[in-house]
Amino acid sequence: MAGRSRRLEQVSATREALLAAAEKLFAEHGVHEVANRQISAEAGQGNNTAVSYHFGTKIDLVRAILRRHAEPIEAGRLRMLEAVGDSTDLRDWVTCSVRPVTDHLESLGSPSWYARFIAQVTGDPALHAVAAEEFKTASPSMRALQDGLNRCLPHLPAEVHAERAAMTRHLITQMTAERERALADGQPTFRDSWSATATGLIDVIVVLWKAPVTREP
Protein backbone atom coordinates (compact mmCIF):
# COMPACT_ATOMS: atom_id res chain seq x y z
CA MET A 1 0.00 0.00 0.00
CA ALA A 2 2.82 2.39 0.90
CA GLY A 3 4.56 1.56 -2.37
CA ARG A 4 1.42 2.34 -4.35
CA SER A 5 1.02 5.63 -2.51
CA ARG A 6 4.60 6.63 -3.30
CA ARG A 7 4.08 5.70 -6.93
CA LEU A 8 0.97 7.89 -7.16
CA GLU A 9 2.87 10.77 -5.57
CA GLN A 10 5.67 10.35 -8.10
CA VAL A 11 3.21 10.33 -11.00
CA SER A 12 1.51 13.46 -9.66
CA ALA A 13 4.85 15.23 -9.20
CA THR A 14 5.94 14.28 -12.72
CA ARG A 15 2.69 15.57 -14.21
CA GLU A 16 3.03 18.86 -12.33
CA ALA A 17 6.63 19.28 -13.48
CA LEU A 18 5.64 18.62 -17.09
CA LEU A 19 2.71 21.05 -16.88
CA ALA A 20 4.89 23.80 -15.43
CA ALA A 21 7.62 23.21 -18.01
CA ALA A 22 5.17 23.17 -20.92
CA GLU A 23 3.42 26.33 -19.73
CA LYS A 24 6.73 28.17 -19.53
CA LEU A 25 8.01 27.01 -22.92
CA PHE A 26 4.67 27.56 -24.67
CA ALA A 27 4.47 31.07 -23.18
CA GLU A 28 7.97 31.97 -24.32
CA HIS A 29 8.08 30.31 -27.74
CA GLY A 30 4.56 29.36 -28.83
CA VAL A 31 2.89 25.97 -28.66
CA HIS A 32 3.86 24.74 -32.11
CA GLU A 33 7.51 25.75 -31.71
CA VAL A 34 8.10 23.48 -28.72
CA ALA A 35 8.81 19.75 -29.05
CA ASN A 36 7.83 17.20 -26.42
CA ARG A 37 11.49 16.36 -25.80
CA GLN A 38 12.13 20.01 -24.88
CA ILE A 39 9.32 19.88 -22.35
CA SER A 40 10.70 16.67 -20.86
CA ALA A 41 14.17 18.19 -20.60
CA GLU A 42 12.85 21.39 -18.98
CA ALA A 43 10.94 19.25 -16.46
CA GLY A 44 14.05 17.22 -15.65
CA GLN A 45 12.65 14.06 -17.21
CA GLY A 46 15.07 11.82 -19.08
CA ASN A 47 12.26 10.05 -20.94
CA ASN A 48 11.38 11.93 -24.14
CA THR A 49 8.00 10.17 -24.27
CA ALA A 50 6.94 11.45 -20.82
CA VAL A 51 4.58 14.07 -22.27
CA SER A 52 2.70 11.67 -24.51
CA TYR A 53 2.61 9.05 -21.74
CA HIS A 54 1.05 11.40 -19.17
CA PHE A 55 -1.09 13.62 -21.40
CA GLY A 56 -1.49 12.16 -24.88
CA THR A 57 -1.41 14.78 -27.63
CA LYS A 58 -0.12 18.34 -27.43
CA ILE A 59 -3.73 19.56 -27.56
CA ASP A 60 -4.47 17.43 -24.49
CA LEU A 61 -1.49 19.06 -22.77
CA VAL A 62 -2.78 22.53 -23.62
CA ARG A 63 -6.17 21.58 -22.19
CA ALA A 64 -4.53 20.33 -18.99
CA ILE A 65 -2.68 23.63 -18.52
CA LEU A 66 -5.89 25.60 -19.08
CA ARG A 67 -7.73 23.47 -16.52
CA ARG A 68 -4.89 23.83 -14.03
CA HIS A 69 -5.62 27.56 -13.78
CA ALA A 70 -9.36 27.56 -14.46
CA GLU A 71 -10.39 26.30 -11.03
CA PRO A 72 -8.87 29.11 -8.90
CA ILE A 73 -10.01 31.78 -11.38
CA GLU A 74 -13.54 30.40 -11.41
CA ALA A 75 -13.62 30.18 -7.60
CA GLY A 76 -12.57 33.82 -7.34
CA ARG A 77 -15.18 34.92 -9.86
CA LEU A 78 -17.95 33.03 -8.07
CA ARG A 79 -17.06 34.79 -4.80
CA MET A 80 -17.19 38.16 -6.53
CA LEU A 81 -20.48 37.40 -8.26
CA GLU A 82 -22.02 36.43 -4.93
CA ALA A 83 -20.94 39.77 -3.47
CA VAL A 84 -22.27 41.69 -6.50
CA GLY A 85 -25.70 40.07 -6.33
CA ASP A 86 -28.23 41.88 -8.54
CA SER A 87 -26.20 45.06 -8.93
CA THR A 88 -27.02 47.34 -11.85
CA ASP A 89 -23.64 49.09 -11.61
CA LEU A 90 -21.68 48.25 -14.75
CA ARG A 91 -18.37 48.61 -12.93
CA ASP A 92 -19.29 45.76 -10.58
CA TRP A 93 -19.71 43.37 -13.50
CA VAL A 94 -16.58 44.52 -15.29
CA THR A 95 -14.70 43.98 -12.03
CA CYS A 96 -15.93 40.38 -12.03
CA SER A 97 -14.40 40.02 -15.50
CA VAL A 98 -11.00 41.42 -14.62
CA ARG A 99 -10.05 40.84 -11.00
CA PRO A 100 -10.35 37.04 -10.86
CA VAL A 101 -7.64 36.92 -13.53
CA THR A 102 -5.33 39.54 -12.02
CA ASP A 103 -5.79 38.12 -8.51
CA HIS A 104 -4.75 34.71 -9.80
CA LEU A 105 -1.72 36.13 -11.58
CA GLU A 106 -0.68 37.90 -8.39
CA SER A 107 -0.97 34.61 -6.48
CA LEU A 108 1.45 32.95 -8.92
CA GLY A 109 4.29 35.29 -8.00
CA SER A 110 6.99 36.32 -10.45
CA PRO A 111 8.12 35.07 -12.81
CA SER A 112 4.89 33.52 -14.03
CA TRP A 113 3.91 32.39 -17.50
CA TYR A 114 0.14 31.92 -17.48
CA ALA A 115 -0.83 35.28 -19.02
CA ARG A 116 1.66 34.86 -21.86
CA PHE A 117 0.54 31.26 -22.35
CA ILE A 118 -3.06 32.43 -22.73
CA ALA A 119 -1.97 35.11 -25.21
CA GLN A 120 -0.16 32.47 -27.28
CA VAL A 121 -3.05 30.02 -27.25
CA THR A 122 -5.87 32.47 -27.95
CA GLY A 123 -3.83 34.12 -30.70
CA ASP A 124 -3.29 30.81 -32.49
CA PRO A 125 -6.06 30.02 -35.02
CA ALA A 126 -5.61 26.29 -34.44
CA LEU A 127 -5.88 26.58 -30.65
CA HIS A 128 -8.33 29.44 -30.21
CA ALA A 129 -11.34 27.12 -30.43
CA VAL A 130 -9.78 24.75 -27.90
CA ALA A 131 -9.33 27.58 -25.41
CA ALA A 132 -12.86 28.88 -26.02
CA GLU A 133 -14.30 25.42 -25.40
CA GLU A 134 -12.30 24.99 -22.20
CA PHE A 135 -13.28 28.43 -20.88
CA LYS A 136 -16.95 27.69 -21.56
CA THR A 137 -16.78 24.31 -19.81
CA ALA A 138 -14.68 25.40 -16.85
CA SER A 139 -16.38 28.73 -16.21
CA PRO A 140 -20.16 28.46 -15.82
CA SER A 141 -19.99 31.77 -13.94
CA MET A 142 -19.44 33.51 -17.28
CA ARG A 143 -23.14 33.06 -18.03
CA ALA A 144 -24.08 34.94 -14.86
CA LEU A 145 -21.54 37.60 -15.79
CA GLN A 146 -23.05 37.98 -19.24
CA ASP A 147 -26.54 38.26 -17.76
CA GLY A 148 -25.35 40.99 -15.40
CA LEU A 149 -23.82 42.97 -18.24
CA ASN A 150 -27.04 42.57 -20.23
CA ARG A 151 -29.07 44.01 -17.35
CA CYS A 152 -26.78 47.03 -17.18
CA LEU A 153 -26.83 47.59 -20.94
CA PRO A 154 -30.25 46.46 -22.22
CA HIS A 155 -30.06 48.85 -25.17
CA LEU A 156 -26.99 47.19 -26.70
CA PRO A 157 -27.76 45.04 -29.76
CA ALA A 158 -26.68 41.42 -29.36
CA GLU A 159 -23.98 41.69 -32.02
CA VAL A 160 -22.48 44.77 -30.35
CA HIS A 161 -22.53 43.04 -26.97
CA ALA A 162 -20.65 40.08 -28.48
CA GLU A 163 -18.14 42.41 -30.13
CA ARG A 164 -17.44 44.31 -26.92
CA ALA A 165 -17.13 41.10 -24.95
CA ALA A 166 -14.42 40.04 -27.42
CA MET A 167 -12.70 43.42 -27.04
CA THR A 168 -12.81 42.99 -23.27
CA ARG A 169 -11.16 39.57 -23.51
CA HIS A 170 -8.44 40.91 -25.80
CA LEU A 171 -7.66 43.83 -23.50
CA ILE A 172 -7.41 41.59 -20.44
CA THR A 173 -5.31 39.00 -22.28
CA GLN A 174 -2.86 41.37 -23.93
CA MET A 175 -2.38 43.80 -21.05
CA THR A 176 -1.84 41.06 -18.47
CA ALA A 177 0.59 39.28 -20.80
CA GLU A 178 2.50 42.52 -21.34
CA ARG A 179 2.78 43.15 -17.60
CA GLU A 180 3.81 39.55 -16.90
CA ARG A 181 6.52 39.77 -19.56
CA ALA A 182 7.84 43.04 -18.17
CA LEU A 183 7.99 41.62 -14.64
CA ALA A 184 9.83 38.52 -15.84
CA ASP A 185 12.35 40.65 -17.76
CA GLY A 186 12.85 43.15 -14.94
CA GLN A 187 11.41 45.96 -17.05
CA PRO A 188 9.23 48.89 -15.90
CA THR A 189 5.46 48.35 -15.77
CA PHE A 190 2.61 50.81 -16.22
CA ARG A 191 1.24 50.10 -12.74
CA ASP A 192 3.02 49.04 -9.57
CA SER A 193 0.80 46.06 -8.70
CA TRP A 194 -1.64 43.58 -10.20
CA SER A 195 -4.43 45.25 -8.25
CA ALA A 196 -3.60 48.63 -9.78
CA THR A 197 -3.38 46.97 -13.19
CA ALA A 198 -6.89 45.62 -12.67
CA THR A 199 -8.15 49.08 -11.74
CA GLY A 200 -6.71 50.54 -14.94
CA LEU A 201 -8.26 47.80 -17.04
CA ILE A 202 -11.63 48.21 -15.34
CA ASP A 203 -11.60 51.97 -15.97
CA VAL A 204 -11.02 51.45 -19.69
CA ILE A 205 -13.40 48.52 -20.12
CA VAL A 206 -16.27 50.36 -18.42
CA VAL A 207 -15.85 53.18 -20.96
CA LEU A 208 -15.65 50.62 -23.78
CA TRP A 209 -19.01 49.11 -22.80
CA LYS A 210 -20.61 52.56 -22.51
CA ALA A 211 -19.33 53.80 -25.87
CA PRO A 212 -21.99 54.91 -28.36
CA VAL A 213 -23.09 52.58 -31.12
CA THR A 214 -22.56 54.30 -34.46
CA ARG A 215 -24.47 52.85 -37.37
CA GLU A 216 -22.91 52.84 -40.81
CA PRO A 217 -24.98 54.78 -43.38
Side-chain angles (χ1 to χ4, degrees):
M1 190 69 176
R4 176 178 171 78
S5 178
R6 282 195 298 272
R7 171 60 180 161
L8 291 174
E9 289 175 1
Q10 290 172 352
V11 169
S12 178
T14 299
R15 284 177 60 88
E16 282 299 309
L18 290 168
L19 285 170
E23 182 179 318
K24 176 184 177 183
L25 293 174
F26 291 164
E28 292 177 341
H29 305 292
V31 174
H32 300 298
E33 301 302 317
V34 178
N36 285 354
R37 58 178 174 75
Q38 293 172 286
I39 298 170
S40 294
E42 179 73 23
Q45 299 296 312
N47 185 352
N48 288 338
T49 65
V51 171
S52 58
Y53 174 80
H54 286 279
F55 297 101
T57 68
K58 189 174 284 187
I59 296 296
D60 294 328
L61 178 57
V62 167
R63 289 184 186 276
I65 297 170
L66 291 168
R67 292 169 186 172
R68 185 177 186 229
H69 293 277
E71 184 176 342
I73 293 174
E74 176 69 359
R77 182 171 288 116
L78 287 170
R79 287 193 297 271
M80 290 184 188
L81 287 171
E82 184 176 0
V84 164
D86 295 326
S87 173
T88 55
D89 184 343
L90 177 61
R91 190 178 183 89
D92 287 341
W93 297 99
V94 172
T95 297
C96 291
S97 297
V98 176
R99 287 204 181 274
V101 177
T102 55
D103 286 355
H104 179 59
L105 287 166
E106 182 175 24
S107 76
L108 296 176
S110 184
S112 63
W113 291 272
Y114 175 65
R116 287 170 287 169
F117 166 76
I118 290 295
Q120 292 277 15
V121 170
T122 57
D124 186 316
L127 296 173
H128 181 84
V130 174
E133 180 186 345
E134 286 296 323
F135 292 148
K136 183 177 180 180
T137 301
S139 186
S141 66
M142 293 303 292
R143 179 62 190 178
L145 181 57
Q146 182 179 352
D147 289 344
L149 289 167
N150 284 336
R151 286 196 299 274
C152 294
L153 301 160
H155 63 285
L156 273 188
E159 67 275 13
V160 176
H161 186 109
E163 179 186 46
R164 293 185 182 180
M167 291 176 180
T168 296
R169 290 192 297 272
H170 283 301
L171 274 171
I172 295 171
T173 297
Q174 296 304 321
M175 293 305 295
T176 55
E178 184 171 330
R179 174 177 169 77
E180 184 184 68
R181 183 179 298 108
L183 289 172
D185 293 343
Q187 298 298 315
T189 57
F190 293 115
R191 305 271 179 145
D192 61 4
S193 68
W194 280 111
S195 180
T197 298
T199 298
L201 277 167
I202 292 164
D203 288 344
V204 170
I205 293 169
V206 166
V207 174
L208 184 158
W209 280 101
K210 289 182 176 180
V213 179
T214 303
R215 294 298 185 186
E216 291 293 319

